[in-house]
Amino acid sequence: YVIAGPEFGEKEGHIFVINKALYGLKTSGKRWHERFSDVLREMEFIPCKAEPDIWMRDMGDHYEYIAVYTDDLTIASRDPEAITNALIHEHKFKLKGTGALNFLLGSEYTRDDDGTLCMSAKKYTTKMKDTYVRLFGKNPTEAQSPLEPNCNPELDTTDLLEGDEIKIFQTLVGQASWVIQLGRFDIGVHVMTLSSFRVSPRKGHLECMKRIYGYCWKFKNAAAVISLCVREALWLLIYWGIRLLVRKWE
């Protein structure tokens, strides 16, 4: 139920029973995207050809970037407040949670002692460990490397998994695939190789995934360092949803 507000006139203060609530139309997402895109173009941003939801603005000696994920914005700028102020005051958007980037889509962002931006997935790695404990009843065995030396999953001839074991393998692969997008690029090749066996995995493939979880847990504090150099070739690394875009300029 709701209590009627002043917009209901004489019925203000009455209690209304809700029969059906509409939280938006089927095209609401598209309309929002069109509206926000028009605003960014008005602010002289242009969409990246490789990823249309990453917007760029030429500032002469550098570029400003806005990465859009639905209604989450990540701004890379020397003066991000100027951009947020324009969105709030000139274009009447209601923004919340503005400030230095510290958490986005599962990734944690921090600064090391010299101010370099770091991206890590410690919280999600902890979630992976909890999943492992729930499935196997113990913590993963810590490992120094994702797979054993000379491990070739494509040559594995162990018995095929059955029933719930297949689901367990698929769960492990799914979580590991996402943590790659959160900065754990060091397991990318290994997980992608094992994911090709999701339909008919073998016992050896499951053991490989368990080792990958042990490796991630051992190095749960690992972080991707985003180092920016303005005077020389500048590499700007922007995490965007499940995609990664790297743009280089002089």
Side-chain angles (χ1 to χ4, degrees), residues 31-117:
R31 297 292 174 245
W32 153 254
H33 188 274
E34 291 175 347
R35 161 66 176 150
F36 195 65
S37 296
D38 289 342
V39 167
L40 291 180
R41 289 190 178 91
E42 186 177 333
M43 296 172 64
E44 299 183 346
F45 281 90
I46 58 173
C48 172
K49 292 183 178 179
E51 175 49 75
D53 281 312
I54 293 182
W55 295 77
M56 307 173 292
R57 182 165 67 179
D58 188 351
M59 301 300 290
D61 60 343
H62 70 282
Y63 279 85
E64 291 182 324
Y65 288 83
I66 299 179
V68 183
Y69 183 79
T70 311
D71 57 354
D72 289 326
L73 308 180
T74 304
I75 299 172
S77 170
R78 293 178 180 175
D79 187 9
E81 287 189 6
I83 295 176
T84 57
N85 286 339
L87 291 173
I88 294 172
H89 301 299
E90 297 178 25
H91 302 285
K92 308 305 178 183
F93 286 104
K94 295 181 180 180
L95 303 183
K96 63 179 182 179
T98 57
L101 184 64
N102 52 53
F103 190 83
L104 178 69
L105 302 176
S107 286
E108 301 156 69
Y109 294 85
T110 57
R111 297 275 180 179
D112 61 15
D113 294 338
D114 64 0
T116 302
L117 184 64

Coordinates of all heavy atoms in Angstrom, one line a residue, residues 31-117:
R31 N 15.6 4.0 -23.9 CA 15.3 5.4 -23.8 C 16.4 6.1 -22.9 O 16.8 7.2 -23.2 CB 13.9 5.6 -23.3 CG 12.8 5.1 -24.2 CD 12.8 5.9 -25.5 NE 11.8 5.3 -26.4 CZ 12.1 4.7 -27.6 NH1 13.4 4.7 -28.0 NH2 11.2 4.2 -28.4
W32 N 16.7 5.4 -21.8 CA 17.7 6.0 -20.9 C 19.1 6.2 -21.7 O 19.7 7.2 -21.6 CB 17.9 5.2 -19.7 CG 19.3 5.2 -19.1 CD1 20.3 4.3 -19.1 CD2 19.8 6.4 -18.3 NE1 21.4 4.8 -18.5 CE2 21.1 6.0 -18.0 CE3 19.3 7.6 -18.0 CZ2 22.0 6.8 -17.2 CZ3 20.2 8.4 -17.2 CH2 21.5 8.1 -16.9
H33 N 19.4 5.1 -22.4 CA 20.7 5.1 -23.1 C 20.7 6.2 -24.2 O 21.7 7.0 -24.3 CB 20.9 3.8 -23.8 CG 22.3 3.6 -24.4 ND1 22.5 4.0 -25.7 CD2 23.4 3.1 -23.9 CE1 23.8 3.8 -26.0 NE2 24.4 3.2 -24.9
E34 N 19.6 6.4 -24.9 CA 19.5 7.5 -25.9 C 19.6 8.8 -25.3 O 20.3 9.7 -25.8 CB 18.2 7.3 -26.7 CG 18.1 6.1 -27.6 CD 16.7 5.9 -28.2 OE1 15.8 6.6 -27.7 OE2 16.6 5.1 -29.1
R35 N 18.9 9.0 -24.2 CA 18.9 10.3 -23.5 C 20.3 10.7 -23.0 O 20.8 11.8 -23.2 CB 17.9 10.3 -22.3 CG 18.2 11.3 -21.2 CD 17.9 12.7 -21.7 NE 18.0 13.7 -20.6 CZ 18.4 15.0 -20.8 NH1 18.7 15.4 -22.0 NH2 18.5 15.8 -19.8
F36 N 21.0 9.7 -22.3 CA 22.3 10.0 -21.8 C 23.3 10.2 -22.9 O 24.3 11.0 -22.8 CB 22.8 8.8 -20.9 CG 23.9 9.2 -20.0 CD1 23.8 10.2 -19.1 CD2 25.1 8.5 -20.2 CE1 24.9 10.5 -18.3 CE2 26.2 8.9 -19.4 CZ 26.1 9.9 -18.4
S37 N 23.2 9.4 -24.0 CA 24.1 9.6 -25.2 C 24.0 11.0 -25.8 O 25.0 11.6 -26.1 CB 23.8 8.5 -26.2 OG 24.0 7.2 -25.7
D38 N 22.7 11.5 -25.8 CA 22.5 12.8 -26.4 C 23.2 13.9 -25.5 O 23.8 14.8 -26.0 CB 21.0 13.2 -26.4 CG 20.3 12.4 -27.6 OD1 21.0 11.9 -28.5 OD2 19.1 12.3 -27.5
V39 N 23.2 13.7 -24.2 CA 23.8 14.6 -23.2 C 25.3 14.6 -23.4 O 26.0 15.6 -23.4 CB 23.4 14.3 -21.8 CG1 24.3 15.0 -20.8 CG2 22.0 14.6 -21.5
L40 N 25.9 13.4 -23.5 CA 27.3 13.2 -23.7 C 27.8 13.9 -25.0 O 28.9 14.5 -25.0 CB 27.8 11.8 -23.6 CG 27.6 11.1 -22.2 CD1 28.1 9.6 -22.3 CD2 28.4 11.8 -21.2
R41 N 27.0 13.7 -26.0 CA 27.4 14.4 -27.3 C 27.3 15.9 -27.2 O 28.2 16.6 -27.7 CB 26.5 13.9 -28.4 CG 26.7 12.4 -28.8 CD 26.0 12.1 -30.1 NE 26.2 10.7 -30.5 CZ 25.5 9.7 -30.2 NH1 24.5 9.8 -29.4 NH2 25.8 8.5 -30.6
E42 N 26.4 16.4 -26.4 CA 26.2 17.8 -26.2 C 27.4 18.3 -25.4 O 27.9 19.5 -25.6 CB 25.0 18.1 -25.4 CG 24.7 19.6 -25.2 CD 23.3 19.8 -24.5 OE1 22.4 18.9 -24.6 OE2 23.2 20.9 -23.9
M43 N 28.0 17.4 -24.6 CA 29.2 17.8 -23.8 C 30.5 17.6 -24.6 O 31.6 17.6 -24.1 CB 29.3 17.0 -22.5 CG 28.1 17.3 -21.5 SD 28.0 16.2 -20.1 CE 29.6 16.6 -19.3
E44 N 30.3 17.2 -25.9 CA 31.4 17.0 -26.8 C 32.2 15.7 -26.6 O 33.4 15.6 -27.0 CB 32.4 18.2 -26.8 CG 31.7 19.5 -27.2 CD 32.7 20.7 -27.3 OE1 33.9 20.6 -26.8 OE2 32.4 21.7 -27.8
F45 N 31.6 14.8 -26.0 CA 32.1 13.4 -25.9 C 31.7 12.7 -27.2 O 30.7 12.9 -27.7 CB 31.6 12.7 -24.7 CG 32.3 13.0 -23.4 CD1 31.8 14.1 -22.6 CD2 33.4 12.3 -23.0 CE1 32.5 14.4 -21.4 CE2 34.1 12.7 -21.8 CZ 33.6 13.7 -21.0
I46 N 32.6 11.7 -27.6 CA 32.3 10.9 -28.8 C 32.4 9.4 -28.3 O 33.3 9.1 -27.5 CB 33.1 11.2 -30.0 CG1 34.6 11.0 -29.6 CG2 32.9 12.6 -30.5 CD1 35.5 11.1 -30.8
P47 N 31.6 8.5 -28.9 CA 31.7 7.1 -28.5 C 32.9 6.5 -29.1 O 33.3 6.8 -30.3 CB 30.4 6.5 -29.0 CG 30.0 7.4 -30.1 CD 30.5 8.7 -29.8
C48 N 33.6 5.5 -28.4 CA 34.7 4.8 -29.0 C 34.1 3.8 -30.0 O 33.1 3.2 -29.9 CB 35.4 4.0 -27.8 SG 36.6 2.8 -28.4
K49 N 34.8 3.7 -31.1 CA 34.4 2.8 -32.2 C 34.5 1.3 -31.8 O 33.6 0.5 -32.2 CB 35.2 3.0 -33.5 CG 35.0 4.4 -34.1 CD 35.8 4.5 -35.4 CE 35.6 5.9 -36.0 NZ 36.4 6.0 -37.3
A50 N 35.4 1.0 -30.9 CA 35.6 -0.4 -30.5 C 34.5 -0.8 -29.4 O 34.1 -1.9 -29.4 CB 37.0 -0.6 -30.0
E51 N 34.2 0.2 -28.6 CA 33.2 0.0 -27.5 C 32.4 1.2 -27.3 O 32.8 2.2 -26.7 CB 33.9 -0.4 -26.2 CG 33.0 -0.5 -25.0 CD 31.9 -1.4 -25.3 OE1 32.0 -2.6 -25.3 OE2 30.7 -0.9 -25.4
P52 N 31.2 1.3 -27.9 CA 30.3 2.5 -28.0 C 30.0 3.0 -26.6 O 29.6 4.2 -26.5 CB 29.1 2.0 -28.7 CG 29.5 0.8 -29.5 CD 30.5 0.1 -28.7
D53 N 30.0 2.2 -25.5 CA 29.7 2.8 -24.2 C 30.9 3.3 -23.5 O 30.8 3.6 -22.3 CB 29.0 1.7 -23.4 CG 27.5 1.5 -23.8 OD1 26.9 2.6 -23.9 OD2 27.1 0.4 -24.0
I54 N 32.0 3.5 -24.1 CA 33.1 4.2 -23.6 C 33.2 5.5 -24.4 O 33.4 5.5 -25.6 CB 34.5 3.4 -23.7 CG1 34.4 2.3 -22.7 CG2 35.6 4.4 -23.3 CD1 35.7 1.5 -22.6
W55 N 33.1 6.6 -23.7 CA 33.0 7.9 -24.4 C 34.3 8.7 -24.1 O 34.9 8.6 -23.0 CB 31.8 8.7 -23.9 CG 30.5 8.1 -24.2 CD1 29.9 7.0 -23.6 CD2 29.6 8.5 -25.3 NE1 28.7 6.7 -24.2 CE2 28.5 7.6 -25.2 CE3 29.6 9.5 -26.2 CZ2 27.4 7.7 -26.1 CZ3 28.6 9.6 -27.1 CH2 27.5 8.7 -27.0
M56 N 34.7 9.5 -25.2 CA 36.0 10.2 -25.1 C 35.8 11.6 -25.4 O 34.9 12.0 -26.3 CB 37.0 9.6 -26.1 CG 37.2 8.0 -25.9 SD 38.2 7.4 -27.3 CE 37.1 7.6 -28.7
R57 N 36.6 12.5 -24.8 CA 36.6 13.9 -25.2 C 38.0 14.4 -25.2 O 38.8 14.2 -24.3 CB 35.8 14.7 -24.1 CG 35.7 16.2 -24.4 CD 34.7 16.9 -23.6 NE 35.0 16.9 -22.1 CZ 34.2 17.5 -21.2 NH1 33.1 18.1 -21.6 NH2 34.6 17.5 -19.9
D58 N 38.4 15.0 -26.4 CA 39.7 15.5 -26.6 C 39.9 16.8 -25.9 O 39.2 17.8 -26.1 CB 39.9 15.7 -28.1 CG 41.4 16.1 -28.5 OD1 42.2 16.3 -27.6 OD2 41.7 16.1 -29.7
M59 N 40.9 16.9 -25.0 CA 41.1 18.1 -24.2 C 42.4 18.8 -24.6 O 42.9 19.6 -23.9 CB 41.2 17.7 -22.7 CG 40.0 17.1 -22.1 SD 38.5 18.1 -22.2 CE 38.9 19.4 -21.0
G60 N 42.9 18.4 -25.8 CA 44.1 19.1 -26.3 C 45.3 18.3 -26.1 O 45.9 17.6 -27.0
D61 N 45.8 18.3 -24.8 CA 47.0 17.5 -24.4 C 46.6 16.2 -23.8 O 47.5 15.4 -23.4 CB 47.8 18.3 -23.5 CG 47.1 18.7 -22.2 OD1 45.9 18.6 -22.2 OD2 47.8 19.1 -21.2
H62 N 45.4 15.9 -23.6 CA 45.0 14.6 -23.1 C 43.5 14.3 -23.4 O 42.8 15.2 -23.9 CB 45.2 14.5 -21.6 CG 44.2 15.4 -20.8 ND1 44.4 16.8 -20.7 CD2 43.1 15.1 -20.1 CE1 43.4 17.3 -20.0 NE2 42.6 16.3 -19.6
Y63 N 43.1 13.1 -23.1 CA 41.7 12.7 -23.3 C 41.0 12.5 -22.0 O 41.6 12.1 -21.0 CB 41.6 11.4 -24.2 CG 41.7 11.6 -25.6 CD1 43.0 11.6 -26.2 CD2 40.6 11.8 -26.5 CE1 43.1 11.8 -27.6 CE2 40.7 11.9 -27.8 CZ 42.0 12.0 -28.4 OH 42.2 12.1 -29.7
E64 N 39.7 12.8 -21.9 CA 38.9 12.4 -20.8 C 38.0 11.2 -21.3 O 37.6 11.2 -22.4 CB 38.0 13.6 -20.4 CG 38.8 14.7 -19.7 CD 37.8 15.8 -19.2 OE1 36.8 16.1 -19.9 OE2 38.2 16.4 -18.2
Y65 N 37.7 10.3 -20.3 CA 36.9 9.1 -20.6 C 35.8 9.0 -19.7 O 35.9 9.3 -18.5 CB 37.8 7.9 -20.6 CG 38.8 7.8 -21.7 CD1 40.0 8.4 -21.6 CD2 38.5 7.0 -22.8 CE1 40.9 8.3 -22.6 CE2 39.4 6.8 -23.8 CZ 40.7 7.5 -23.7 OH 41.6 7.4 -24.7
I66 N 34.6 8.5 -20.2 CA 33.5 8.1 -19.3 C 33.1 6.7 -19.8 O 32.7 6.5 -21.0 CB 32.3 9.0 -19.4 CG1 32.7 10.4 -18.9 CG2 31.1 8.5 -18.6 CD1 31.5 11.4 -19.0
A67 N 33.2 5.7 -18.9 CA 32.7 4.4 -19.2 C 31.4 4.2 -18.6 O 31.2 4.5 -17.4 CB 33.7 3.3 -18.6
V68 N 30.4 3.8 -19.4 CA 29.0 3.7 -18.9 C 28.6 2.2 -18.9 O 28.7 1.5 -19.8 CB 28.1 4.4 -19.9 CG1 26.6 4.3 -19.4 CG2 28.5 5.9 -20.1
Y69 N 28.1 1.8 -17.7 CA 27.6 0.4 -17.5 C 26.2 0.6 -17.0 O 26.0 0.8 -15.8 CB 28.4 -0.4 -16.6 CG 28.0 -1.8 -16.5 CD1 28.2 -2.8 -17.5 CD2 27.2 -2.3 -15.4 CE1 27.8 -4.1 -17.4 CE2 26.8 -3.6 -15.3 CZ 27.1 -4.5 -16.2 OH 26.6 -5.8 -16.1
T70 N 25.2 0.5 -17.8 CA 23.8 0.8 -17.4 C 23.7 2.3 -16.9 O 23.8 3.2 -17.6 CB 23.2 -0.2 -16.5 OG1 23.5 -1.5 -17.0 CG2 21.7 -0.1 -16.4
D71 N 23.6 2.4 -15.5 CA 23.6 3.7 -14.9 C 24.8 3.9 -14.0 O 24.7 4.8 -13.1 CB 22.3 3.9 -14.2 CG 22.0 2.9 -13.1 OD1 22.8 1.9 -13.0 OD2 21.0 3.0 -12.3
D72 N 25.8 3.1 -14.1 CA 27.1 3.3 -13.4 C 28.1 4.0 -14.3 O 28.2 3.6 -15.5 CB 27.6 2.0 -12.9 CG 26.8 1.3 -11.8 OD1 26.3 2.1 -11.0 OD2 26.7 0.1 -11.7
L73 N 28.7 5.0 -13.8 CA 29.7 5.8 -14.6 C 31.1 5.7 -13.9 O 31.2 5.8 -12.7 CB 29.3 7.2 -14.7 CG 27.9 7.6 -15.1 CD1 27.7 9.1 -15.1 CD2 27.6 7.0 -16.5
T74 N 32.1 5.5 -14.8 CA 33.5 5.5 -14.3 C 34.1 6.6 -15.2 O 34.1 6.6 -16.4 CB 34.2 4.2 -14.6 OG1 33.5 3.2 -13.9 CG2 35.6 4.3 -14.0
I75 N 34.6 7.6 -14.5 CA 35.2 8.8 -15.2 C 36.7 8.9 -15.0 O 37.2 8.8 -13.9 CB 34.5 10.1 -14.6 CG1 33.0 10.1 -14.8 CG2 35.2 11.3 -15.2 CD1 32.3 11.2 -14.2
A76 N 37.4 9.0 -16.1 CA 38.8 9.2 -16.1 C 39.1 10.6 -16.5 O 39.0 10.9 -17.7 CB 39.6 8.2 -16.9
S77 N 39.5 11.5 -15.6 CA 39.7 12.9 -15.9 C 40.6 13.6 -14.9 O 40.7 13.1 -13.8 CB 38.3 13.6 -16.0 OG 38.4 15.0 -16.0
R78 N 41.2 14.6 -15.3 CA 42.0 15.4 -14.4 C 41.1 16.3 -13.5 O 41.5 16.7 -12.4 CB 43.0 16.3 -15.1 CG 44.1 15.6 -15.9 CD 45.0 16.5 -16.7 NE 46.0 15.8 -17.4 CZ 46.9 16.4 -18.2 NH1 46.8 17.7 -18.5 NH2 47.8 15.7 -18.9
D79 N 39.9 16.5 -13.9 CA 38.9 17.2 -13.2 C 37.5 16.6 -13.2 O 36.6 17.1 -13.9 CB 38.8 18.7 -13.7 CG 38.0 19.6 -12.8 OD1 37.6 19.1 -11.7 OD2 37.7 20.7 -13.2
P80 N 37.4 15.4 -12.6 CA 36.1 14.7 -12.7 C 34.9 15.5 -12.1 O 33.8 15.3 -12.6 CB 36.4 13.4 -11.9 CG 37.5 13.7 -11.0 CD 38.3 14.7 -11.7
E81 N 35.2 16.3 -11.1 CA 34.1 17.1 -10.5 C 33.4 18.0 -11.5 O 32.2 18.3 -11.5 CB 34.6 17.9 -9.3 CG 34.8 17.0 -8.1 CD 35.1 17.9 -6.9 OE1 34.9 19.1 -6.9 OE2 35.5 17.3 -5.8
A82 N 34.2 18.6 -12.5 CA 33.6 19.4 -13.5 C 32.6 18.7 -14.4 O 31.6 19.2 -14.7 CB 34.7 20.0 -14.4
I83 N 32.9 17.4 -14.6 CA 32.0 16.6 -15.4 C 30.7 16.2 -14.6 O 29.6 16.4 -15.1 CB 32.7 15.3 -15.8 CG1 33.8 15.6 -16.8 CG2 31.7 14.3 -16.5 CD1 34.6 14.4 -17.2
T84 N 30.9 15.8 -13.3 CA 29.7 15.5 -12.5 C 28.9 16.7 -12.2 O 27.6 16.6 -12.2 CB 30.2 14.8 -11.2 OG1 31.1 15.7 -10.5 CG2 30.8 13.5 -11.5
N85 N 29.5 17.9 -12.0 CA 28.8 19.1 -11.8 C 27.9 19.5 -13.0 O 26.8 19.9 -12.9 CB 29.7 20.2 -11.4 CG 30.2 20.1 -10.0 OD1 29.7 19.4 -9.2 ND2 31.4 20.8 -9.8
A86 N 28.5 19.3 -14.2 CA 27.7 19.6 -15.4 C 26.5 18.6 -15.6 O 25.5 19.1 -16.0 CB 28.7 19.4 -16.6
L87 N 26.7 17.4 -15.2 CA 25.6 16.4 -15.3 C 24.5 16.8 -14.3 O 23.3 16.6 -14.6 CB 26.1 15.0 -15.1 CG 27.0 14.4 -16.1 CD1 27.6 13.1 -15.7 CD2 26.3 14.2 -17.4
I88 N 24.9 17.2 -13.1 CA 23.9 17.5 -12.1 C 23.2 18.8 -12.3 O 22.0 18.9 -12.3 CB 24.6 17.5 -10.7 CG1 25.1 16.1 -10.4 CG2 23.7 18.0 -9.6 CD1 26.0 16.1 -9.1
H89 N 24.0 19.9 -12.6 CA 23.4 21.2 -12.6 C 22.9 21.7 -14.0 O 21.9 22.3 -14.1 CB 24.5 22.2 -12.1 CG 24.9 22.0 -10.7 ND1 24.1 22.0 -9.6 CD2 26.2 21.7 -10.2 CE1 24.8 21.7 -8.5 NE2 26.0 21.5 -8.8
E90 N 23.6 21.3 -15.0 CA 23.2 21.7 -16.4 C 22.2 20.7 -17.0 O 21.3 21.1 -17.7 CB 24.4 21.8 -17.3 CG 25.4 22.9 -16.8 CD 26.6 22.9 -17.7 OE1 26.5 22.5 -18.9 OE2 27.7 23.4 -17.3
H91 N 22.4 19.4 -16.7 CA 21.5 18.4 -17.4 C 20.6 17.7 -16.4 O 19.9 16.8 -16.8 CB 22.4 17.4 -18.1 CG 23.3 18.0 -19.1 ND1 22.9 18.4 -20.3 CD2 24.7 18.3 -19.0 CE1 23.9 18.9 -21.0 NE2 25.0 18.9 -20.3
K92 N 20.6 18.1 -15.1 CA 19.6 17.7 -14.1 C 19.6 16.2 -13.8 O 18.5 15.7 -13.5 CB 18.2 18.2 -14.6 CG 18.1 19.7 -14.9 CD 18.6 20.6 -13.8 CE 18.5 22.0 -14.2 NZ 19.1 22.9 -13.1
F93 N 20.7 15.6 -13.9 CA 20.8 14.2 -13.5 C 21.0 14.1 -12.0 O 21.7 15.0 -11.4 CB 21.9 13.5 -14.2 CG 21.7 13.2 -15.6 CD1 22.2 13.9 -16.6 CD2 20.8 12.1 -16.0 CE1 22.0 13.6 -18.0 CE2 20.6 11.8 -17.3 CZ 21.1 12.6 -18.3
K94 N 20.4 13.1 -11.3 CA 20.7 12.9 -9.9 C 21.7 11.8 -9.7 O 21.5 10.7 -10.0 CB 19.4 12.5 -9.2 CG 18.3 13.6 -9.2 CD 17.0 13.1 -8.5 CE 15.9 14.1 -8.5 NZ 14.7 13.7 -7.9
L95 N 22.9 12.3 -9.3 CA 24.0 11.3 -9.1 C 24.2 11.0 -7.6 O 24.0 11.9 -6.8 CB 25.3 11.9 -9.7 CG 25.3 12.3 -11.2 CD1 26.6 12.8 -11.6 CD2 24.8 11.2 -12.0
K96 N 24.6 9.8 -7.3 CA 24.9 9.5 -6.0 C 26.1 8.6 -5.9 O 26.5 8.0 -6.9 CB 23.7 8.7 -5.3 CG 23.4 7.3 -6.0 CD 22.2 6.7 -5.2 CE 21.9 5.3 -5.9 NZ 20.8 4.6 -5.2
G97 N 26.8 8.7 -4.8 CA 28.0 7.9 -4.6 C 29.2 8.4 -5.4 O 30.1 7.7 -5.8
T98 N 29.2 9.7 -5.8 CA 30.3 10.3 -6.5 C 31.5 10.4 -5.6 O 31.4 10.7 -4.4 CB 29.9 11.6 -7.1 OG1 29.5 12.5 -6.1 CG2 28.8 11.5 -8.1
G99 N 32.7 10.2 -6.2 CA 33.9 10.4 -5.5 C 35.0 9.5 -6.1 O 34.8 8.9 -7.2
A100 N 36.1 9.4 -5.4 CA 37.2 8.6 -5.9 C 36.8 7.1 -6.1 O 36.0 6.6 -5.3 CB 38.4 8.7 -5.0
L101 N 37.2 6.5 -7.2 CA 36.8 5.1 -7.5 C 37.4 4.2 -6.4 O 38.6 4.2 -6.2 CB 37.3 4.8 -8.9 CG 36.9 3.4 -9.4 CD1 35.4 3.3 -9.5 CD2 37.6 3.1 -10.7
N102 N 36.5 3.4 -5.8 CA 37.0 2.4 -4.8 C 36.4 1.0 -5.0 O 37.0 0.0 -4.6 CB 36.8 2.9 -3.4 CG 35.4 3.3 -3.1 OD1 34.5 2.6 -3.4 ND2 35.2 4.5 -2.6
F103 N 35.3 0.9 -5.6 CA 34.6 -0.4 -5.9 C 33.7 -0.3 -7.1 O 32.9 0.7 -7.1 CB 33.9 -0.8 -4.6 CG 33.4 -2.3 -4.7 CD1 34.3 -3.3 -4.4 CD2 32.1 -2.6 -5.1 CE1 33.9 -4.6 -4.4 CE2 31.7 -3.9 -5.2 CZ 32.6 -4.9 -4.9
L104 N 33.8 -1.2 -8.0 CA 33.0 -1.2 -9.2 C 32.8 -2.6 -9.8 O 33.8 -3.2 -10.1 CB 33.6 -0.2 -10.3 CG 32.8 -0.1 -11.6 CD1 31.5 0.6 -11.4 CD2 33.6 0.6 -12.6
L105 N 31.6 -3.0 -9.8 CA 31.3 -4.3 -10.5 C 32.1 -5.5 -9.9 O 32.5 -6.4 -10.7 CB 31.5 -4.2 -12.0 CG 30.6 -3.1 -12.7 CD1 31.0 -3.0 -14.2 CD2 29.1 -3.4 -12.5
G106 N 32.4 -5.4 -8.6 CA 33.2 -6.5 -8.0 C 34.7 -6.2 -7.9 O 35.4 -7.0 -7.2
S107 N 35.2 -5.2 -8.5 CA 36.6 -4.9 -8.5 C 36.8 -3.8 -7.4 O 36.0 -2.9 -7.2 CB 37.1 -4.3 -9.8 OG 37.3 -5.4 -10.7
E108 N 37.9 -4.0 -6.6 CA 38.3 -3.0 -5.6 C 39.5 -2.1 -6.2 O 40.4 -2.7 -6.8 CB 38.7 -3.7 -4.4 CG 37.7 -4.6 -3.8 CD 38.2 -5.6 -2.9 OE1 38.8 -5.3 -1.8 OE2 38.2 -6.8 -3.3
Y109 N 39.4 -0.8 -6.0 CA 40.4 0.1 -6.5 C 41.0 0.8 -5.3 O 40.4 1.4 -4.4 CB 39.8 1.1 -7.4 CG 39.3 0.5 -8.7 CD1 38.0 -0.1 -8.8 CD2 40.1 0.4 -9.8 CE1 37.5 -0.7 -9.9 CE2 39.6 -0.2 -11.0 CZ 38.3 -0.7 -11.0 OH 37.9 -1.3 -12.2
T110 N 42.4 0.8 -5.3 CA 43.1 1.4 -4.2 C 44.3 2.1 -4.8 O 44.6 2.0 -6.0 CB 43.6 0.4 -3.1 OG1 44.4 -0.6 -3.8 CG2 42.4 -0.3 -2.4
R111 N 45.0 2.9 -3.9 CA 46.3 3.5 -4.4 C 47.4 3.0 -3.5 O 47.3 2.8 -2.3 CB 46.2 5.0 -4.1 CG 45.1 5.7 -5.0 CD 45.6 6.1 -6.3 NE 44.5 6.8 -7.1 CZ 44.7 7.2 -8.4 NH1 45.9 7.0 -8.9 NH2 43.7 7.8 -9.0
D112 N 48.5 2.7 -4.2 CA 49.7 2.2 -3.4 C 50.4 3.4 -2.8 O 50.0 4.6 -2.9 CB 50.6 1.3 -4.2 CG 51.2 2.0 -5.4 OD1 51.1 3.3 -5.5 OD2 51.7 1.4 -6.3
D113 N 51.6 3.2 -2.2 CA 52.3 4.3 -1.5 C 52.7 5.5 -2.4 O 52.7 6.6 -1.9 CB 53.5 3.7 -0.8 CG 53.2 2.7 0.3 OD1 52.0 2.8 0.8 OD2 54.0 1.9 0.6
D114 N 52.9 5.2 -3.7 CA 53.3 6.3 -4.6 C 52.1 6.8 -5.4 O 52.3 7.6 -6.3 CB 54.5 5.9 -5.5 CG 54.0 4.8 -6.5 OD1 52.9 4.3 -6.4 OD2 54.9 4.3 -7.3
G115 N 50.9 6.4 -5.0 CA 49.7 7.0 -5.6 C 49.3 6.2 -6.9 O 48.3 6.6 -7.5
T116 N 49.9 5.1 -7.2 CA 49.6 4.4 -8.4 C 48.2 3.6 -8.2 O 48.1 3.0 -7.1 CB 50.7 3.4 -8.8 OG1 51.9 4.1 -9.1 CG2 50.3 2.6 -10.1
L117 N 47.3 3.7 -9.2 CA 46.0 3.0 -9.0 C 46.2 1.5 -9.2 O 46.8 1.0 -10.1 CB 45.1 3.6 -10.1 CG 43.6 3.1 -10.0 CD1 43.0 3.5 -8.7 CD2 42.9 3.6 -11.2

